Amino acid sequence: MVRMTVIATVREEKKEEFLQAVRSLQRDRVREPGAREAGVYEDGDRTRFRLVEEWETQAHLERHRESENFRVLQGALKALCVEADLRWGRGPDEGG
């Protein structure tokens, strides 16, 4: 299993737009080969979020990173967030 984690600080006035975008992208993501679990979690305060995606293999994650879905996620992070950090790694304790 490979995990991708995004830690994002969202512009306060863009919080609802951010959540709608991320939830929509995650609904689409489950149709991608190798997709496993995904979640969006508030991370300590009202504008900080942790997005977690799990993939069967590194190859599945790499394919996702080349997808339109991932490009849309990157655009949303740039437009709606003050800062965002993407991490990935193997197993439940890495990448987040």
Side-chain angles (χ1 to χ4, degrees):
M1 175 187 67
V2 180
R3 177 178 285 180
M4 181 179 81
T5 303
V6 179
I7 300 169
T9 303
V10 179
R11 299 178 201 289
E12 191 161 353
E13 69 277 10
K14 299 291 186 177
K15 179 180 174 180
E16 289 307 315
E17 187 177 348
F18 171 80
L19 289 172
Q20 287 176 346
V22 168
R23 288 176 180 143
S24 175
L25 289 169
Q26 287 194 331
R27 280 192 299 272
D28 293 343
R29 186 197 71 83
V30 298
R31 293 187 210 104
E32 291 185 47
R36 294 181 66 168
E37 298 294 318
V40 181
Y41 310 97
E42 222 170 287
D43 197 24
D45 69 41
R46 297 176 23 131
T47 60
R48 189 169 162 93
F49 292 89
R50 182 177 300 259
L51 290 60
V52 179
E53 297 181 353
E54 293 179 351
W55 297 87
E56 288 179 19
T57 67
Q58 183 68 34
H60 288 114
L61 174 59
E62 291 301 321
R63 201 169 303 124
H64 170 65
R65 291 180 56 209
E66 295 173 3
S67 71
E68 179 66 19
N69 191 310
F70 187 75
R71 285 189 288 278
V72 171
L73 172 62
Q74 288 179 305
L77 293 172
K78 286 179 184 175
L80 305 173
C81 297
V82 175
E83 64 181 339
D85 181 34
L86 280 79
R87 304 174 188 178
W88 40 86
R90 290 189 126 351
D93 296 323
E94 294 183 40

